[in-house]
Every structure is written in C-alpha cells, then in structure tokens.
Amino acid sequence: MEKRSKRQILFLLLAVLLLPGSRIRAAVPEQIRQEKQYITTDVTEKKTFANEIKQDGEIYELKNVSYEVLEKNPVKEKEKVTLIQKSRAVEETAAYQPEKQIQKNGVTYLLKTVRKKKKKRNVWKQDVFATSQYGSFADAAQASEVKNVTVTDKKTGKKVTVACRKKATRKTAAVWVNSYIDILFTGYDADSFIWQGIIVRKNEKSPLKGFDKALIQSVGGNPDKYKVRSVSWNGKAFVQNGTQRRRARAMVRKKVPQYRVSYTGEIIHKEKKNTVYVCTYQGVKETETGENSYAVKAKADYIRKETDTKAIPVAVLTVSVVLVLATIVSILFLILRKTKKGGK
C-alpha cells in the first residue's frame, strides 16, 4: 500500500512537469487614446507624444495626433498698486469704521492698515472792519477807542455785535459838502441895509450878489474852498434894541478835509479736537500686454501592435498553476493519512 501511494505521488508530479501551460488571454482594446491639455501663447505650439506606449502588457503604436483650441484669452500683466485714503476729520471720541474694500478704476483694493493722525485744534476767525469819517483831525483824534459793529457771523449765519478797537487815523481826499453862511443886516436908512460896509437895498431879491469873496472871508474861509450858490432873505425885518435888522442866508459848497478812523475786530470759533484716519489699501492691477493665451487639448490615438505569442502577459492564469496547487494539496493529504496509520 505504501509503495502504491508513492507511485501515485510521483505520477502526479511528472504530470505537472510535463503538462504544457495553457494560456488564458484577457480581452484587450485594439485602440487607445491619450490626451494632454496645456496653456500657451503660441497657438502653433504642438505637444509631442511617445511613438510607442505599453499598457497591460500590450504595445501600442502612435497613429495620429490632433489639436483643438478650447479657449482664447488676452494675456495680462499683474502689478501691485497702493491706494491711500484719508477720512474726514471726526471728533476724537467718535468711532470710525473704514471700508474693508474699495472699487476704483476696475481695481479691487483691500484694507491693509489704518493709522490715526490727530488734527490740531483749528481756530476759525472772521475779521471785522469799520470806519468813521470826520471833517477835522481834532474830531478824529477825539473819536471813541471802541466801536460796536453789527455783522453776520459767516459760520453761524447769525447777526452778532463785535467790539472793534480803534486802529488808525488817516487823512483822505477832501469832499465838497453843502453848507451855509448866516448874515445879519442892519438898517442903514429908510431904503437900505448895511453889512460890513456893504449897502444893500431893502427890496433887493438877492442881497450881496457878487460879493462872494466877502461872504467867504466873513467866516474865515478860503475862497478856493468855498462856492457861493445863492443868497436870499431869511425872514422879515425886525427891530432889535431900537434898530431895524433883517437876516439873510448864503447857501454854499465848501471843500472839507476828511479824516478816516479805522476800527478792527474779529469773530473767533475754536473747533473741537479732531482725528483723521489714514487708510492704506492694496490691490492688483491687470494690464493687457497685447498677446493672447490659448488653452489647447492634444489627442493622440494609438493602435495595438501585434506581439510574440510566447510572451506571457501578467494577467494570464495558466492551468499549470492550478495543477501545482492541486498536487500540493494531495501530497499534504497523503502525508497526513500516513501519519494517522502509523499512529495506530
């Protein structure tokens, strides 16, 4: 029995060794395709493919390559740009929230830094001027040191009274003003009156006509600075201290020197202490270069190449392998059985 078992084992081993391996080939495609996508500024640029490729143990030969432009876009240069923005002056205690981003001239700027810049307290001032005119230097010298002037406060729009102080006095061009000279005639005889030696008839309509110089000198005036316009009676004759009298008035123009006294004052408003925020933004500016970029898809078609049939693909399972496994299992079974018999 033991010899018989040994012969069976030997027979199985020889069968395995002598039996040629039968291959089982899996189904393979006759044609495959490879694709590449790339970006280029030269539309004539061609990507190359290998003349042969190996896949699943099969060799494929390049048949043809085609190219397709998927997209065309202008080429742009990118440049970092900075934008500085200053806020309006706000009160020191007030909260301030800057914009996180700003759109300007097609660029998006993002906030990077915020810096506080304290603004000095400004003093708002409005100057006020006033003048007073006098006909003599003596009068001008006696002018008040302070003159109250009512003006509109340009900041509030309200009427206010400003105390302006005397600043200067200066002589200005003389002006012609209307004036008069009063004349008192005394009875000379039944038909006449007399005035400074000049006899005038009582029925004279324009007494002292032609005596302009005497009239002007009677008041200490300079004939160059006076002009007599007319002389007329001023009321009816009357008796005073037993003497008949009658008044007359000469209307004159006199050249009067002018003295201008100037006054100055001011309206003051003190502004609150403020803060200005300096915000720095950064963005990227894109500028077209005049060139274009192209998105291209390249497609390569391969066909399977006939190969030597003796070559064993990795994916092929042979019947020999199955038989070897079966033989090993049989040997193990016989050894186990023999061991059991010997034990009896």
Side-chain angles (χ1 to χ4, degrees):
M1 184 68 180
E2 183 178 351
K3 290 180 179 181
R4 187 178 176 183
S5 297
K6 289 180 179 180
R7 284 197 298 269
Q8 290 176 345
I9 292 171
L10 181 60
F11 175 79
L12 289 171
L13 288 172
L14 289 172
V16 170
L17 294 173
L18 294 174
L19 186 66
S22 300
R23 295 193 307 167
I24 302 174
R25 182 185 296 272
V28 293
E30 292 295 324
Q31 183 171 317
I32 61 175
R33 170 175 285 180
Q34 283 191 345
E35 293 184 355
K36 293 181 183 180
Q37 287 194 19
Y38 57 95
I39 305 295
T40 180
T41 57
D42 182 3
V43 74
T44 64
E45 180 184 348
K46 306 297 182 184
K47 290 294 182 181
T48 59
F49 292 83
N51 291 326
E52 287 186 351
I53 58 173
K54 191 173 183 181
Q55 180 175 304
D56 296 333
E58 297 289 342
I59 297 176
Y60 292 84
E61 289 182 320
L62 181 64
K63 181 181 179 182
N64 62 67
V65 181
S66 61
Y67 298 88
E68 178 186 0
V69 176
L70 302 177
E71 195 173 336
K72 174 184 175 182
N73 294 302
V75 176
K76 297 180 180 180
E77 288 182 343
K78 293 184 178 181
E79 175 189 2
K80 287 185 178 180
V81 287
T82 301
L83 177 67
I84 305 295
Q85 291 279 84
K86 289 185 179 180
S87 72
R88 59 179 178 80
V90 296
E91 292 185 17
E92 193 174 22
T93 56
Y96 177 73
Q97 187 64 40
E99 294 181 80
K100 297 299 181 184
Q101 69 177 40
I102 296 176
Q103 292 282 346
K104 189 174 183 180
N105 298 329
V107 178
T108 300
Y109 293 88
L110 300 179
L111 180 64
K112 293 298 180 182
T113 61
V114 179
R115 179 168 58 89
K116 290 174 68 174
K117 184 178 180 182
K118 290 186 178 179
K119 189 178 181 183
K120 292 182 180 179
R121 182 177 295 181
N122 290 334
V123 176
W124 186 91
K125 186 173 72 172
Q126 176 182 338
D127 292 323
V128 180
F129 301 95
T131 59
S132 292
Q133 203 81 6
Y134 295 92
S136 70
F137 180 78
D139 291 341
Q142 296 298 318
S144 173
E145 291 296 321
V146 177
K147 183 175 183 176
N148 291 323
V149 182
T150 301
V151 295
T152 300
D153 186 329
K154 293 180 180 179
K155 193 169 183 67
T156 64
K158 296 179 180 179
K159 292 284 186 181
V160 294
T161 299
V162 180
C164 297
R165 300 196 65 81
K166 188 177 182 180
K167 183 179 180 182
T169 301
R170 70 184 186 90
K171 187 177 182 179
T172 61
V175 295
W176 287 96
V177 298
N178 293 326
S179 187
Y180 59 87
I181 300 173
D182 283 331
I183 308 162
L184 180 61
F185 285 94
T186 302
Y188 179 70
D189 54 28
D191 298 322
S192 304
F193 288 111
I194 190 170
W195 176 80
Q196 294 187 5
I198 301 173
I199 298 173
V200 177
R201 297 182 62 80
K202 289 184 178 180
N203 60 355
E204 181 71 45
K205 291 184 178 180
S206 299
L208 297 179
K209 184 177 180 180
F211 294 93
D212 295 356
K213 186 175 182 180
L215 279 170
I216 294 168
Q217 289 178 341
S218 70
V219 291
N222 186 335
D224 294 335
K225 296 181 180 180
Y226 277 82
K227 292 179 181 179
V228 178
R229 299 174 64 187
S230 64
V231 182
S232 60
W233 298 111
N234 187 17
K236 295 181 178 181
F238 62 93
V239 177
Q240 185 180 25
N241 297 325
T243 303
Q244 190 179 31
R245 303 178 186 278
R246 191 174 185 182
R247 299 182 188 279
R249 175 168 286 183
M251 304 303 299
V252 299
R253 294 266 292 169
K254 66 177 181 177
K255 199 173 187 179
V256 179
Q258 294 293 296
Y259 294 88
R260 181 179 298 161
V261 178
S262 58
Y263 295 85
T264 61
E266 58 188 15
I267 301 170
I268 294 177
H269 291 282
K270 291 185 178 180
E271 296 181 351
K272 294 181 179 179
K273 203 169 185 179
N274 294 329
T275 299
V276 172
Y277 293 86
V278 181
C279 303
T280 302
Y281 294 82
Q282 286 186 347
V284 176
K285 182 180 179 181
E286 293 186 343
T287 306
E288 293 187 7
T289 64
E291 294 184 334
N292 293 312
S293 66
Y294 303 88
V296 181
K297 179 191 282 188
K299 295 175 284 187
D301 293 321
Y302 290 84
I303 57 174
R304 187 169 62 83
K305 184 179 180 182
E306 292 297 331
T307 58
D308 188 0
T309 56
K310 292 182 180 180
I312 302 176
V314 176
V316 177
L317 296 175
T318 65
V319 176
S320 299
V321 174
V322 177
L323 292 175
V324 169
L325 292 174
T327 302
I328 293 171
V329 172
S330 299
I331 293 170
L332 291 173
F333 175 78
L334 293 173
I335 292 172
L336 181 60
R337 184 176 179 183
K338 185 177 179 182
T339 303
K340 287 182 178 180
K341 286 183 178 181
K344 291 181 179 180

mmCIF file with all atom_site columns, all heavy atoms in Angstrom, residues 238-251:
data_model
loop_
_atom_site.group_PDB
_atom_site.id
_atom_site.type_symbol
_atom_site.label_atom_id
_atom_site.label_alt_id
_atom_site.label_comp_id
_atom_site.label_asym_id
_atom_site.label_entity_id
_atom_site.label_seq_id
_atom_site.pdbx_PDB_ins_code
_atom_site.Cartn_x
_atom_site.Cartn_y
_atom_site.Cartn_z
_atom_site.occupancy
_atom_site.B_iso_or_equiv
_atom_site.pdbx_formal_charge
_atom_site.auth_seq_id
_atom_site.auth_comp_id
_atom_site.auth_asym_id
_atom_site.auth_atom_id
_atom_site.pdbx_PDB_model_num
ATOM 1   N N   . PHE A 1 238 ? -36.980 193.035 11.416 1.00 0.00 ? 238 PHE A N   1
ATOM 2   C CA  . PHE A 1 238 ? -37.433 193.119 12.802 1.00 0.00 ? 238 PHE A CA  1
ATOM 3   C C   . PHE A 1 238 ? -36.612 194.185 13.503 1.00 0.00 ? 238 PHE A C   1
ATOM 4   O O   . PHE A 1 238 ? -35.557 194.620 13.011 1.00 0.00 ? 238 PHE A O   1
ATOM 5   C CB  . PHE A 1 238 ? -37.284 191.758 13.493 1.00 0.00 ? 238 PHE A CB  1
ATOM 6   C CG  . PHE A 1 238 ? -35.865 191.265 13.566 1.00 0.00 ? 238 PHE A CG  1
ATOM 7   C CD1 . PHE A 1 238 ? -35.068 191.535 14.681 1.00 0.00 ? 238 PHE A CD1 1
ATOM 8   C CD2 . PHE A 1 238 ? -35.308 190.556 12.512 1.00 0.00 ? 238 PHE A CD2 1
ATOM 9   C CE1 . PHE A 1 238 ? -33.771 191.086 14.734 1.00 0.00 ? 238 PHE A CE1 1
ATOM 10  C CE2 . PHE A 1 238 ? -34.018 190.094 12.569 1.00 0.00 ? 238 PHE A CE2 1
ATOM 11  C CZ  . PHE A 1 238 ? -33.225 190.362 13.676 1.00 0.00 ? 238 PHE A CZ  1
ATOM 12  N N   . VAL A 1 239 ? -37.071 194.658 14.626 1.00 0.00 ? 239 VAL A N   1
ATOM 13  C CA  . VAL A 1 239 ? -36.403 195.718 15.390 1.00 0.00 ? 239 VAL A CA  1
ATOM 14  C C   . VAL A 1 239 ? -35.760 195.098 16.608 1.00 0.00 ? 239 VAL A C   1
ATOM 15  O O   . VAL A 1 239 ? -36.395 194.347 17.350 1.00 0.00 ? 239 VAL A O   1
ATOM 16  C CB  . VAL A 1 239 ? -37.387 196.835 15.806 1.00 0.00 ? 239 VAL A CB  1
ATOM 17  C CG1 . VAL A 1 239 ? -36.682 197.884 16.673 1.00 0.00 ? 239 VAL A CG1 1
ATOM 18  C CG2 . VAL A 1 239 ? -38.004 197.486 14.577 1.00 0.00 ? 239 VAL A CG2 1
ATOM 19  N N   . GLN A 1 240 ? -34.497 195.414 16.817 1.00 0.00 ? 240 GLN A N   1
ATOM 20  C CA  . GLN A 1 240 ? -33.760 194.882 17.960 1.00 0.00 ? 240 GLN A CA  1
ATOM 21  C C   . GLN A 1 240 ? -32.943 196.029 18.578 1.00 0.00 ? 240 GLN A C   1
ATOM 22  O O   . GLN A 1 240 ? -32.136 196.651 17.886 1.00 0.00 ? 240 GLN A O   1
ATOM 23  C CB  . GLN A 1 240 ? -32.826 193.743 17.530 1.00 0.00 ? 240 GLN A CB  1
ATOM 24  C CG  . GLN A 1 240 ? -32.118 193.079 18.687 1.00 0.00 ? 240 GLN A CG  1
ATOM 25  C CD  . GLN A 1 240 ? -31.194 191.965 18.215 1.00 0.00 ? 240 GLN A CD  1
ATOM 26  O OE1 . GLN A 1 240 ? -30.726 191.973 17.060 1.00 0.00 ? 240 GLN A OE1 1
ATOM 27  N NE2 . GLN A 1 240 ? -30.965 191.003 19.094 1.00 0.00 ? 240 GLN A NE2 1
ATOM 28  N N   . ASN A 1 241 ? -33.213 196.262 19.874 1.00 0.00 ? 241 ASN A N   1
ATOM 29  C CA  . ASN A 1 241 ? -32.538 197.347 20.588 1.00 0.00 ? 241 ASN A CA  1
ATOM 30  C C   . ASN A 1 241 ? -32.733 198.689 19.852 1.00 0.00 ? 241 ASN A C   1
ATOM 31  O O   . ASN A 1 241 ? -31.803 199.511 19.735 1.00 0.00 ? 241 ASN A O   1
ATOM 32  C CB  . ASN A 1 241 ? -31.049 197.090 20.763 1.00 0.00 ? 241 ASN A CB  1
ATOM 33  C CG  . ASN A 1 241 ? -30.802 195.851 21.618 1.00 0.00 ? 241 ASN A CG  1
ATOM 34  O OD1 . ASN A 1 241 ? -31.571 195.576 22.559 1.00 0.00 ? 241 ASN A OD1 1
ATOM 35  N ND2 . ASN A 1 241 ? -29.740 195.126 21.311 1.00 0.00 ? 241 ASN A ND2 1
ATOM 36  N N   . GLY A 1 242 ? -33.918 198.892 19.319 1.00 0.00 ? 242 GLY A N   1
ATOM 37  C CA  . GLY A 1 242 ? -34.265 200.154 18.658 1.00 0.00 ? 242 GLY A CA  1
ATOM 38  C C   . GLY A 1 242 ? -33.711 200.251 17.258 1.00 0.00 ? 242 GLY A C   1
ATOM 39  O O   . GLY A 1 242 ? -33.858 201.324 16.619 1.00 0.00 ? 242 GLY A O   1
ATOM 40  N N   . THR A 1 243 ? -33.100 199.187 16.752 1.00 0.00 ? 243 THR A N   1
ATOM 41  C CA  . THR A 1 243 ? -32.508 199.232 15.407 1.00 0.00 ? 243 THR A CA  1
ATOM 42  C C   . THR A 1 243 ? -33.190 198.171 14.528 1.00 0.00 ? 243 THR A C   1
ATOM 43  O O   . THR A 1 243 ? -33.405 197.010 14.939 1.00 0.00 ? 243 THR A O   1
ATOM 44  C CB  . THR A 1 243 ? -31.002 198.941 15.461 1.00 0.00 ? 243 THR A CB  1
ATOM 45  O OG1 . THR A 1 243 ? -30.363 199.887 16.341 1.00 0.00 ? 243 THR A OG1 1
ATOM 46  C CG2 . THR A 1 243 ? -30.405 199.050 14.066 1.00 0.00 ? 243 THR A CG2 1
ATOM 47  N N   . GLN A 1 244 ? -33.502 198.568 13.332 1.00 0.00 ? 244 GLN A N   1
ATOM 48  C CA  . GLN A 1 244 ? -34.126 197.626 12.380 1.00 0.00 ? 244 GLN A CA  1
ATOM 49  C C   . GLN A 1 244 ? -33.058 196.664 11.820 1.00 0.00 ? 244 GLN A C   1
ATOM 50  O O   . GLN A 1 244 ? -31.975 197.063 11.426 1.00 0.00 ? 244 GLN A O   1
ATOM 51  C CB  . GLN A 1 244 ? -34.807 198.398 11.240 1.00 0.00 ? 244 GLN A CB  1
ATOM 52  C CG  . GLN A 1 244 ? -35.670 197.502 10.383 1.00 0.00 ? 244 GLN A CG  1
ATOM 53  C CD  . GLN A 1 244 ? -36.371 198.268 9.257  1.00 0.00 ? 244 GLN A CD  1
ATOM 54  O OE1 . GLN A 1 244 ? -35.830 199.263 8.748  1.00 0.00 ? 244 GLN A OE1 1
ATOM 55  N NE2 . GLN A 1 244 ? -37.572 197.843 8.897  1.00 0.00 ? 244 GLN A NE2 1
ATOM 56  N N   . ARG A 1 245 ? -33.436 195.409 11.792 1.00 0.00 ? 245 ARG A N   1
ATOM 57  C CA  . ARG A 1 245 ? -32.496 194.383 11.295 1.00 0.00 ? 245 ARG A CA  1
ATOM 58  C C   . ARG A 1 245 ? -33.263 193.386 10.402 1.00 0.00 ? 245 ARG A C   1
ATOM 59  O O   . ARG A 1 245 ? -34.467 193.262 10.485 1.00 0.00 ? 245 ARG A O   1
ATOM 60  C CB  . ARG A 1 245 ? -31.835 193.617 12.448 1.00 0.00 ? 245 ARG A CB  1
ATOM 61  C CG  . ARG A 1 245 ? -31.100 194.547 13.412 1.00 0.00 ? 245 ARG A CG  1
ATOM 62  C CD  . ARG A 1 245 ? -30.505 193.740 14.551 1.00 0.00 ? 245 ARG A CD  1
ATOM 63  N NE  . ARG A 1 245 ? -29.907 194.594 15.560 1.00 0.00 ? 245 ARG A NE  1
ATOM 64  C CZ  . ARG A 1 245 ? -28.703 195.131 15.521 1.00 0.00 ? 245 ARG A CZ  1
ATOM 65  N NH1 . ARG A 1 245 ? -27.924 194.878 14.480 1.00 0.00 ? 245 ARG A NH1 1
ATOM 66  N NH2 . ARG A 1 245 ? -28.245 195.905 16.497 1.00 0.00 ? 245 ARG A NH2 1
ATOM 67  N N   . ARG A 1 246 ? -32.452 192.642 9.629  1.00 0.00 ? 246 ARG A N   1
ATOM 68  C CA  . ARG A 1 246 ? -33.062 191.566 8.798  1.00 0.00 ? 246 ARG A CA  1
ATOM 69  C C   . ARG A 1 246 ? -31.975 190.512 8.512  1.00 0.00 ? 246 ARG A C   1
ATOM 70  O O   . ARG A 1 246 ? -30.820 190.835 8.258  1.00 0.00 ? 246 ARG A O   1
ATOM 71  C CB  . ARG A 1 246 ? -33.612 192.108 7.484  1.00 0.00 ? 246 ARG A CB  1
ATOM 72  C CG  . ARG A 1 246 ? -34.459 191.078 6.765  1.00 0.00 ? 246 ARG A CG  1
ATOM 73  C CD  . ARG A 1 246 ? -35.130 191.663 5.540  1.00 0.00 ? 246 ARG A CD  1
ATOM 74  N NE  . ARG A 1 246 ? -36.035 190.679 4.939  1.00 0.00 ? 246 ARG A NE  1
ATOM 75  C CZ  . ARG A 1 246 ? -36.729 190.888 3.828  1.00 0.00 ? 246 ARG A CZ  1
ATOM 76  N NH1 . ARG A 1 246 ? -36.627 192.074 3.180  1.00 0.00 ? 246 ARG A NH1 1
ATOM 77  N NH2 . ARG A 1 246 ? -37.538 189.961 3.366  1.00 0.00 ? 246 ARG A NH2 1
ATOM 78  N N   . ARG A 1 247 ? -32.408 189.256 8.563  1.00 0.00 ? 247 ARG A N   1
ATOM 79  C CA  . ARG A 1 247 ? -31.455 188.146 8.362  1.00 0.00 ? 247 ARG A CA  1
ATOM 80  C C   . ARG A 1 247 ? -31.496 187.663 6.904  1.00 0.00 ? 247 ARG A C   1
ATOM 81  O O   . ARG A 1 247 ? -32.539 187.725 6.245  1.00 0.00 ? 247 ARG A O   1
ATOM 82  C CB  . ARG A 1 247 ? -31.777 186.952 9.273  1.00 0.00 ? 247 ARG A CB  1
ATOM 83  C CG  . ARG A 1 247 ? -31.705 187.293 10.738 1.00 0.00 ? 247 ARG A CG  1
ATOM 84  C CD  . ARG A 1 247 ? -31.983 186.054 11.581 1.00 0.00 ? 247 ARG A CD  1
ATOM 85  N NE  . ARG A 1 247 ? -32.109 186.389 12.979 1.00 0.00 ? 247 ARG A NE  1
ATOM 86  C CZ  . ARG A 1 247 ? -31.083 186.590 13.822 1.00 0.00 ? 247 ARG A CZ  1
ATOM 87  N NH1 . ARG A 1 247 ? -29.846 186.477 13.385 1.00 0.00 ? 247 ARG A NH1 1
ATOM 88  N NH2 . ARG A 1 247 ? -31.315 186.885 15.091 1.00 0.00 ? 247 ARG A NH2 1
ATOM 89  N N   . ALA A 1 248 ? -30.341 187.144 6.468  1.00 0.00 ? 248 ALA A N   1
ATOM 90  C CA  . ALA A 1 248 ? -30.233 186.528 5.138  1.00 0.00 ? 248 ALA A CA  1
ATOM 91  C C   . ALA A 1 248 ? -29.350 185.263 5.288  1.00 0.00 ? 248 ALA A C   1
ATOM 92  O O   . ALA A 1 248 ? -28.615 185.096 6.278  1.00 0.00 ? 248 ALA A O   1
ATOM 93  C CB  . ALA A 1 248 ? -29.624 187.501 4.140  1.00 0.00 ? 248 ALA A CB  1
ATOM 94  N N   . ARG A 1 249 ? -29.415 184.407 4.319  1.00 0.00 ? 249 ARG A N   1
ATOM 95  C CA  . ARG A 1 249 ? -28.609 183.146 4.372  1.00 0.00 ? 249 ARG A CA  1
ATOM 96  C C   . ARG A 1 249 ? -28.011 182.871 2.996  1.00 0.00 ? 249 ARG A C   1
ATOM 97  O O   . ARG A 1 249 ? -28.721 182.880 1.980  1.00 0.00 ? 249 ARG A O   1
ATOM 98  C CB  . ARG A 1 249 ? -29.449 181.962 4.811  1.00 0.00 ? 249 ARG A CB  1
ATOM 99  C CG  . ARG A 1 249 ? -28.709 180.632 4.755  1.00 0.00 ? 249 ARG A CG  1
ATOM 100 C CD  . ARG A 1 249 ? -29.492 179.545 5.463  1.00 0.00 ? 249 ARG A CD  1
ATOM 101 N NE  . ARG A 1 249 ? -29.422 179.715 6.922  1.00 0.00 ? 249 ARG A NE  1
ATOM 102 C CZ  . ARG A 1 249 ? -29.979 178.869 7.803  1.00 0.00 ? 249 ARG A CZ  1
ATOM 103 N NH1 . ARG A 1 249 ? -30.658 177.801 7.343  1.00 0.00 ? 249 ARG A NH1 1
ATOM 104 N NH2 . ARG A 1 249 ? -29.874 179.070 9.093  1.00 0.00 ? 249 ARG A NH2 1
ATOM 105 N N   . ALA A 1 250 ? -26.707 182.619 3.021  1.00 0.00 ? 250 ALA A N   1
ATOM 106 C CA  . ALA A 1 250 ? -26.000 182.286 1.772  1.00 0.00 ? 250 ALA A CA  1
ATOM 107 C C   . ALA A 1 250 ? -25.783 180.769 1.750  1.00 0.00 ? 250 ALA A C   1
ATOM 108 O O   . ALA A 1 250 ? -25.196 180.198 2.678  1.00 0.00 ? 250 ALA A O   1
ATOM 109 C CB  . ALA A 1 250 ? -24.662 183.019 1.709  1.00 0.00 ? 250 ALA A CB  1
ATOM 110 N N   . MET A 1 251 ? -26.298 180.100 0.718  1.00 0.00 ? 251 MET A N   1
ATOM 111 C CA  . MET A 1 251 ? -26.090 178.655 0.552  1.00 0.00 ? 251 MET A CA  1
ATOM 112 C C   . MET A 1 251 ? -24.768 178.442 -0.188 1.00 0.00 ? 251 MET A C   1
ATOM 113 O O   . MET A 1 251 ? -24.558 179.029 -1.268 1.00 0.00 ? 251 MET A O   1
ATOM 114 C CB  . MET A 1 251 ? -27.240 178.021 -0.242 1.00 0.00 ? 251 MET A CB  1
ATOM 115 C CG  . MET A 1 251 ? -28.607 178.290 0.381  1.00 0.00 ? 251 MET A CG  1
ATOM 116 S SD  . MET A 1 251 ? -28.742 177.711 2.115  1.00 0.00 ? 251 MET A SD  1
ATOM 117 C CE  . MET A 1 251 ? -28.463 175.954 1.887  1.00 0.00 ? 251 MET A CE  1
#
